[in-house]
């Protein structure tokens, strides 16, 4: 059985799930399509808002119990998991408040007659999601699309099945009709079959470049609109006037939150020569002060990685980096704990010909680069296949904004680590993907912008 909860702290298999049959897939398609037909003219929004309101209440009421499911699935700290549940509840509030406004017909001003655009559902959405934020990733596509009237079939990562099922059960408990969100434990071929089905009109994936390419290929073959939220190798540019004390306070969050397994966590720190030595010293202080241990213990500050496979992949990347000339400033030693822990590691001297230069290292590894003038930092930040979420840190806000405007990136944060809020569009450029989730932009990704036009006689 491919779908399993293997607790990354204890390495024990806690749950295993049977793969879905083709009959279950067909039942999900039938139920979803039936709902789409009921909802496509805009009907049922009041009831759907009530479901999402209830979902928000349930998330808040069961916060710790739900958080624990995620921690057991993929190892994240219980406090971080609780924060994730809260964030999902905030998506419920935001979209319930805004759904009427976002779905209202939009008048088009033309001298030739009367025109307006209806915002309508398009059909079932096939969502393929990763393990690193098990609830958040589902919530940010399900909540807006359910309000739009697009039912969703979910294929979640094979290592967080218990979280995926818990979220789907919660949606059902909140009163959503059967077919609104169907979580299926399916294989890649079944994902392809679902995408090819004419009842499915949209595909969204959050995951790696590899997964994104495979699923986007299926979507393209079948001419299905798709959005791709992929990886990042994001830069954190420290400007020469940065306040190092303020900066030191965000290092942990920017790189080690969720054991460094965040698409938008800063992976490449690009530091001016006047602050380089001090930056490394501060980063080492932060990295060496973490407490690894049971992620359910609230005193633990660094969680295990999500799986043995992920840890081995990261170790291989660090080994490759070092074999090709990178220096280990801190870390890269075995951790004497049974779980999938990776010692926080700081690498320097990664040159452009190092194979890891343009790779995402998805775990607690920081790469530090030195620059002399700001243009060099901008060029280095942009010298990447990815473009997801970068950070600029500096006291002169005008300079920071000016640098931000020159970064090839879907998102840039100034003087803070990465973040995600319901009203802020989330997504990337280049190999970090296309399309946006959250905000009004994400809400309308799978909306049929249906023009109605009545020319004047
Ligand atoms: P992954 O291997 O691409 O997996 C993501 C999802 O895609 C999983 O459900 C996986 O299923 C599925 N999948 C993979 N290959 C597939 C295929 N050929 N056909 C159908 N489904 C397929 O990604 P990951 O390495 O687990 O996740 C981490 C990546 O996600 C990182 O690169 C991270 O940066 C990125 N990410 C991006 C964002 C964003 O918003 N841009 C947010 C979070 C994470 P299985 O588990 O069964 O393989």
């Amino acid at each position: 059985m491919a779908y399993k909860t293997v607790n990354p702290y204890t390495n024990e298999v806690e749950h295993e799930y049977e793969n879905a049959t083709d009959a279950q897939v067909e039942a999900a398609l039938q139920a979803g399509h039936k709902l789409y037909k009921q909802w496509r003219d805009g009907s049922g929004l009041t009831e759907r808002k009530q479901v999402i309101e209830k979902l928000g209440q349930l998330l808040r009421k069961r916060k710790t119990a739900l958080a624990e499911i995620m921690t057991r699935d993929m190892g994240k700290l219980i406090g971080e998991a609780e924060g994730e549940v809260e964030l999902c509840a905030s998506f419920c509030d935001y979209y319930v408040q805004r759904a009427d406004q976002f779905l209202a017909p939009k008048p088009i001003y033309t001298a030739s007659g009367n025109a307006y655009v209806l915002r309508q559902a398009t059909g079932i959405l096939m969502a393929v999601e990763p393990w690193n934020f098990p609830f958040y990733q589902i919530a940010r596509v399900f909540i807006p699309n359910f309000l739009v009237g697009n039912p969703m079939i979910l294929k979640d990562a094979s290592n967080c099945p218990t979280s995926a099922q818990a979220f789907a059960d919660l949606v059902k408990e909140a009163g959503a009709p059967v077919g609104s969100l169907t979580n299926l434990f399916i294989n890649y071929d079944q994902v392809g079959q679902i995408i090819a089905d004419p009842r499915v009109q949209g595909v969204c994936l959050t995951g790696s470049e590899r997964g994104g390419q495979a699923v986007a290929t299926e979507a393209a073959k079948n001419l299905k609109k798709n959005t791709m939220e992929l990886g990042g190798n994001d830069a954190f540019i420290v400007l020469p006037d940065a306040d190092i004390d303020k900066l030191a306070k965000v290092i942990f969050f920017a790189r080690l939150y969720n054991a460094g397994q965040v698409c938008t966590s800063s992976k490449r720190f690009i530091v001016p020569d006047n602050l380089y030595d001090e930056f490394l010293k501060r980063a080492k202080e932060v990295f060496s002060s973490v407490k690894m241990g049971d992620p359910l213990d609230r005193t633990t500050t660094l969680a295990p990685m999500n799986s043995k496979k992920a840890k081995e992949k990261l170790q291989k990347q660090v080994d490759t980096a070092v074999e090709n000339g990178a220096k280990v400033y801190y870390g890269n030693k075995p951790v004497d704990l049974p779980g999938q822990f990776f010692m926080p590691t700081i690498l320097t001297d990664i040159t452009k010909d190092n194979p890891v230069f343009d790779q995402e290292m998805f775990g607690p590894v920081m790469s530090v680069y030195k620059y002399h003038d700001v243009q060099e930092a901008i060029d280095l930040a942009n010298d990447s296949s990815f473009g997801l979420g970068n950070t600029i840190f500096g006291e002169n806000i005008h300079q920071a904004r000016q640098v931000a405007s020159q970064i090839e990136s879907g998102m840039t944060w100034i003087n803070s680590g990465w973040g995600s809020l319901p009203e802020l569009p989330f997504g990337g450029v280049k190999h970090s993907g296309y399309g946006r989730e959250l905000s009004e932009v994400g809400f309308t990704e799978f909306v049929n912008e249906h023009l109605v036009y009545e020319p004047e006689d």
Side-chain angles (χ1 to χ4, degrees):
M1 278 178 279
Y3 286 85
K4 278 185 204 161
T5 292
V6 183
N7 185 327
Y9 176 62
T10 61
N11 301 320
E12 275 167 24
V13 178
E14 296 194 356
H15 303 280
E16 286 187 80
Y17 300 87
E18 297 280 352
N19 270 38
T21 61
D22 288 345
Q24 286 170 315
V25 171
E26 177 53 27
L29 287 164
Q30 278 184 19
H33 192 59
K34 192 168 152 214
L35 289 178
Y36 160 67
K37 286 201 289 188
Q38 282 169 25
W39 292 339
R40 68 183 166 192
D41 65 355
S43 304
L45 179 58
T46 307
E47 291 75 16
R48 293 199 297 283
K49 283 196 298 185
Q50 284 163 359
V51 169
I52 296 302
E53 225 173 299
K54 177 80 181 160
L55 178 66
Q57 289 161 7
L58 289 172
L59 284 162
R60 290 192 169 104
K61 202 164 123 198
R62 313 242 176 97
K63 181 171 78 176
T64 301
L66 295 168
E68 192 172 322
I69 295 172
M70 289 193 269
T71 297
R72 290 180 176 281
D73 254 350
M74 50 65 72
K76 66 170 56 196
L77 300 180
I78 185 72
E80 293 181 357
E82 285 175 339
E84 182 173 339
V85 177
E86 287 275 1
L87 185 59
C88 294
S90 79
F91 298 168
C92 296
D93 304 340
Y94 173 77
Y95 279 121
V96 166
Q97 282 162 16
R98 305 277 188 311
D100 289 289
Q101 176 201 333
F102 291 167
L103 287 171
K106 302 278 174 266
I108 304 270
Y109 298 99
T110 165
S112 66
N114 183 33
Y116 54 94
V117 168
L118 295 173
R119 290 186 151 178
Q120 295 179 316
T122 50
I124 299 173
L125 183 62
M126 174 74 237
V128 181
E129 299 300 332
W131 46 264
N132 64 337
F133 289 94
F135 271 32
Y136 163 87
Q137 296 294 349
I138 306 171
R140 70 181 194 175
V141 280
F142 168 72
I143 294 167
N145 278 291
F146 177 72
L147 289 167
V148 166
N150 291 326
M152 191 167 116
I153 294 179
L154 169 67
K155 182 258 176 279
D156 215 319
S158 47
N159 65 328
C160 65
T162 312
S163 303
Q165 194 53 48
F167 193 96
D169 290 346
L170 211 64
V171 166
K172 190 168 166 220
E173 191 181 336
V178 174
S180 304
L181 171 64
T182 311
N183 174 48
L184 291 175
F185 299 123
I186 43 180
N187 60 35
Y188 295 173
D189 288 344
Q190 287 169 308
V191 171
Q193 285 156 21
I194 293 171
I195 292 172
D197 192 286
R199 291 165 289 189
V200 172
Q201 286 303 320
V203 180
C204 62
L205 176 138
T206 294
S208 64
E209 273 178 287
R210 182 191 54 83
Q213 269 166 352
V215 170
T217 301
E218 293 302 317
K221 269 199 312 218
N222 293 286
L223 298 178
K224 301 289 164 78
K225 160 116 193 225
N226 64 93
T227 57
M228 292 287 140
E229 299 280 348
L230 309 179
N233 192 14
D234 291 329
F236 186 120
I237 299 184
V238 179
L239 292 173
D241 69 346
D243 178 327
I244 197 83
D245 293 323
K246 283 190 204 160
L247 173 55
K249 290 197 184 106
V250 307
I251 290 175
F252 180 90
F253 182 76
R255 191 63 198 100
L256 297 180
Y257 186 89
N258 207 20
Q261 303 164 118
V262 182
C263 53
T264 43
S265 48
S266 305
K267 285 148 196 155
R268 297 180 295 147
F269 288 72
I270 302 179
V271 184
D273 40 19
N274 65 315
L275 294 174
Y276 186 76
D277 292 342
E278 183 64 15
F279 175 83
L280 281 173
K281 200 178 118 215
R282 300 293 188 102
K284 184 175 166 179
E285 276 165 19
V286 173
F287 275 43
S288 59
S289 63
V290 300
K291 182 176 171 244
M292 292 183 242
D294 183 352
L296 289 171
D297 175 346
R298 289 178 190 274
T299 65
T300 301
T301 63
L302 190 77
M305 292 188 65
N306 74 92
S307 65
K308 188 164 179 274
K309 190 172 131 210
K311 181 182 157 176
E312 285 169 358
K313 180 177 173 197
L314 184 64
Q315 187 62 63
K316 220 167 155 185
Q317 287 177 300
V318 171
D319 293 346
T320 303
V322 173
E323 279 157 23
N324 287 276
K327 294 194 178 122
V328 178
Y329 180 79
Y330 177 75
N332 195 27
K333 296 207 177 90
V335 177
D336 190 18
L337 283 168
Q340 302 306 324
F341 292 94
F342 196 98
M343 184 176 183
T345 296
I346 302 172
L347 297 176
T348 63
D349 297 87
I350 296 177
T351 49
K352 194 170 160 48
D353 57 353
N354 195 314
V356 304
F357 178 82
D358 198 22
Q359 287 177 12
E360 178 185 44
M361 287 198 260
F362 211 53
V365 177
M366 168 190 270
S367 311
V368 187
Y369 296 80
K370 190 180 346 191
Y371 73 87
H372 183 63
D373 67 70
V374 172
Q375 189 56 47
E376 213 186 305
I378 295 167
D379 293 344
L380 187 52
N382 288 338
D383 192 0
S384 170
S385 309
F386 299 99
L388 192 57
N390 292 271
T391 296
I392 316 290
F393 221 95
E395 288 297 285
N396 179 341
I397 190 69
H398 302 292
Q399 186 190 24
R401 287 179 188 154
Q402 212 263 337
V403 172
S405 71
Q406 294 179 69
I407 303 296
E408 295 167 354
S409 182
M411 301 168 278
T412 299
W413 292 276
I414 294 180
N415 291 335
S416 89
W418 61 274
S420 179
L421 292 170
E423 63 274 24
L424 304 181
F426 197 104
V429 295
K430 304 203 273 189
H431 279 205
S432 293
Y434 45 83
R436 294 291 180 269
E437 292 181 352
L438 299 176
S439 77
E440 183 172 4
V441 188
F443 187 89
T444 55
E445 284 286 3
F446 296 99
V447 157
N448 175 12
E449 304 270 2
H450 177 169
L451 171 73
V452 181
Y453 178 55
E454 307 154 17
E456 271 174 6
D457 291 335

